[in-house]
Amino acid sequence: MILFEPFLSATSTIVCPSSCTQHGACVFPGLCICQDGWSGIDCSVPTCTSLNFCNGNGYCSDYEVCTCDDGWLGLSCEVANCTARNDC
C-alpha cells in the first residue's frame, strides 16, 4: 500500500471528491489515489481485485464481495452451477 500525505488547501481542508470516501488519499486537488480494492474518482467503487474481478461471472457488490450471475457460485463466481445452467 502506498501512503500519501493529504493535499490541503489554504484553509487546511481536503479538496477531493467526498474526501476519497475514506478508501484513498487526496494527493492533489480533485485527485484521489485509491487503496487496493477500490476505484473511481472518489474511491467509492469496489473492484474485487483479489477475487479475480468475479471471473466475469458476476459483479463486485462490496469490498471483496462478489454477487454472482445466475448459474454461478463461489466466493469469486468461479464455480458453474450445473443445475441452474443446464449445460455442464
Side-chain angles (χ1 to χ4, degrees), residues 16-63:
C16 276
S18 303
S19 298
C20 304
T21 59
Q22 317 253 326
H23 302 297
C26 185
V27 295
F28 199 75
L31 178 63
C32 294
I33 299 296
C34 302
Q35 298 168 351
D36 288 343
W38 297 95
S39 68
I41 192 166
D42 63 356
C43 302
S44 65
V45 180
T47 63
C48 293
T49 52
S50 72
L51 297 175
N52 199 28
F53 303 99
C54 305
N55 288 292
N57 301 317
Y59 66 95
C60 192
S61 56
D62 201 352
Y63 179 75

